[in-house]
Amino acid sequence: MLMKEYRICMPLTVEEYRIGQLYMISKHSHEQSERGEGVEVVQNEPYEDPTHGQGQFTEKRVYLNNKLPSWARAVVPKIFYVTEKAWNYYPYTITEYTCSFLPKFSIHIETKYEDNKGSNDNIFDSEPKGEEEIEVCLVDIAYDEIPERYYKESEDLRYFKSEKTDRGVLQEGWIDNQEPIMCSYKLVTVKFEVWGLQTRVEQFVHKVIRDVLLLGHRQAFAWVDEWIEMTMDEVREYERATQEATNRKIGPFPPSISITETPLASVARNGPSSAPSTPLSTEPPEYLSVPKDRPRKKSAPETLTLPDPNRRDSGFRLASIFSWGSTPSPQPE
């Protein structure tokens, strides 16, 4: 299990971003979808929690086989998707991702929003487990490098100025001088409990998540003039219409192939209370053991090497990780 906290500042208020987040996720999902690939909305309905109150529950399937790197496409089924379940009690949200092909893989994201510059070190009241500190990653939406394939000049916040809010251009050091300003705090837990691959895969997924968060939050502000005057009813109608258009765009899906285990309590429909917790083991799982009654084939590869996550062709993206969030996709190449 690898846990990191991300802090992303925005030149908005928390109340403004409530609208902007919903608009950005809907538009982003629609843009990244194509026939047979993209984000299928399974559920999107009001939900009330006894602790957090009134909120919104969404369930989505992110179909992304063609967006996977070549090494992943070689080992996963053709019909492959990631399930996103999100409980939005704004300004607090919970998002969980599980995989139809890898039951030992999960991502758990807790998000809180505050009107500050990312200065709250105890927002999640989380205690380090053992002697390990939780790494805090600061994400600058204007000056952090974005993967070249996602760059758009119209979304470059070093040059963008909002006509309706008169905010921007974001100069270097803008976080120290910007008013208004808010921060999106995200506590992200990645688990890939497969012996021999856990550390490398968890680090790789965190890099993907960071890229997705950077892209999504950049877009939320770059599109501010499109959503800043919307009411909640108007953005919900936009969300509904875009959802229908996206489902039509990607078309019907064939029956899916999935591998399942006993469901984790935190992925239940009635809402999670914490990150999924499965005991870790240093011993290889039984299904990876070589039977003793037959010799090992000498031609079989001894190890599986994952690609360097810093290479352009190794990345992939989860859609809508911003809630992310979704989502924020993540969406991969």
Side-chain angles (χ1 to χ4, degrees):
M1 179 179 76
L2 182 59
M3 181 183 297
K4 294 185 180 183
E5 180 185 325
Y6 296 89
R7 301 180 186 179
I8 311 104
C9 288
M10 302 274 287
L12 302 165
T13 67
V14 169
E15 192 58 34
E16 287 172 338
Y17 187 61
R18 184 174 192 174
I19 302 290
Q21 176 201 50
L22 296 174
Y23 182 90
M24 175 269 295
I25 292 172
S26 295
K27 181 175 178 178
H28 178 93
S29 297
H30 185 72
E31 284 190 349
Q32 297 301 316
S33 297
E34 56 192 44
R35 184 161 185 80
E37 297 280 332
V39 183
E40 176 194 18
V41 180
V42 180
Q43 283 183 273
N44 185 6
E45 59 190 36
Y47 179 74
E48 187 164 357
D49 181 84
T51 302
H52 303 295
Q54 189 67 33
Q56 191 82 4
F57 172 77
T58 58
E59 180 178 348
K60 302 175 183 178
R61 287 182 178 179
V62 185
Y63 293 83
L64 39 67
N65 189 277
N66 289 337
K67 292 183 172 63
L68 294 175
S70 57
W71 60 266
R73 289 198 299 270
V75 296
V76 303
K78 183 174 180 60
I79 306 166
F80 168 76
Y81 63 87
V82 171
T83 297
E84 175 198 285
K85 292 185 178 181
W87 293 261
N88 189 339
Y89 312 106
Y90 198 88
Y92 174 63
T93 68
I94 302 167
T95 310
E96 291 182 347
Y97 295 88
T98 53
C99 178
S100 62
F101 177 64
L102 298 170
K104 292 183 178 293
F105 171 77
S106 65
I107 302 172
H108 179 95
I109 304 175
E110 286 186 71
T111 305
K112 292 186 177 181
Y113 305 99
E114 286 189 348
D115 286 313
N116 58 44
K117 301 176 181 179
S119 54
N120 189 344
D121 293 329
N122 301 304
I123 190 167
F124 293 107
D125 300 320
S126 54
E127 294 292 334
K129 298 183 178 180
E131 298 180 356
E132 186 175 354
E133 294 285 337
I134 297 174
E135 181 183 352
V136 176
C137 304
L138 305 178
V139 179
D140 188 329
I141 61 173
Y143 288 89
D144 281 2
E145 185 177 355
I146 192 167
E148 184 180 348
R149 61 189 176 278
Y150 303 139
Y151 176 82
K152 292 182 181 179
E153 186 176 354
S154 61
E155 297 171 3
D156 192 331
L157 305 184
R158 297 171 299 174
Y159 310 109
F160 169 79
K161 183 176 180 65
S162 166
E163 295 180 1
K164 293 185 178 179
T165 67
D166 199 35
R167 299 173 201 170
V169 174
L170 299 183
Q171 304 289 345
E172 199 155 1
W174 66 274
I175 294 176
D176 295 328
N177 305 309
Q178 175 65 36
E179 287 294 341
I181 192 167
M182 58 155 287
C183 185
S184 172
Y185 295 83
K186 292 183 177 286
L187 186 64
V188 180
T189 303
V190 177
K191 286 187 178 182
F192 185 69
E193 295 169 349
V194 174
W195 182 79
L197 297 174
Q198 181 172 355
T199 300
R200 185 73 181 273
V201 170
E202 289 176 351
Q203 290 175 343
F204 174 75
V205 172
H206 265 287
K207 182 184 183 304
V208 172
I209 289 173
R210 189 187 184 282
D211 287 346
V212 172
L213 294 176
L214 174 59
L215 176 63
H217 287 78
R218 279 169 64 101
Q219 289 178 330
F221 183 59
W223 298 339
V224 64
D225 288 345
E226 300 175 24
W227 58 259
I228 191 66
E229 295 176 345
M230 282 185 169
T231 64
M232 180 57 70
D233 288 341
E234 288 171 338
V235 78
R236 286 297 185 194
E237 175 58 26
Y238 173 83
E239 188 179 44
R240 183 197 62 77
T242 306
Q243 169 186 321
E244 292 178 356
T246 302
N247 286 353
R248 288 195 302 270
K249 185 179 181 183
I250 56 184
F253 290 93
S256 58
I257 299 172
S258 62
I259 300 174
T260 59
E261 290 185 339
T262 303
L264 296 173
S266 61
V267 190
R269 167 65 177 82
N270 61 354
S273 58
S274 62
S277 56
T278 303
L280 302 180
S281 171
T282 57
E283 297 298 322
E286 187 176 355
Y287 60 82
L288 290 180
S289 302
V290 177
K292 296 180 180 179
D293 58 352
R294 63 176 176 84
R296 171 182 248 172
K297 290 184 179 180
K298 296 299 183 182
S299 61
E302 293 293 323
T303 59
L304 172 63
T305 303
L306 296 179
D308 183 347
N310 292 318
R311 291 183 54 186
R312 280 192 58 190
D313 60 355
S314 66
F316 68 91
R317 194 155 47 120
L318 293 179
S320 187
I321 207 168
F322 304 99
S323 329
W324 142 326
S326 170
T327 64
S329 69
Q331 320 215 350
E333 190 167 77

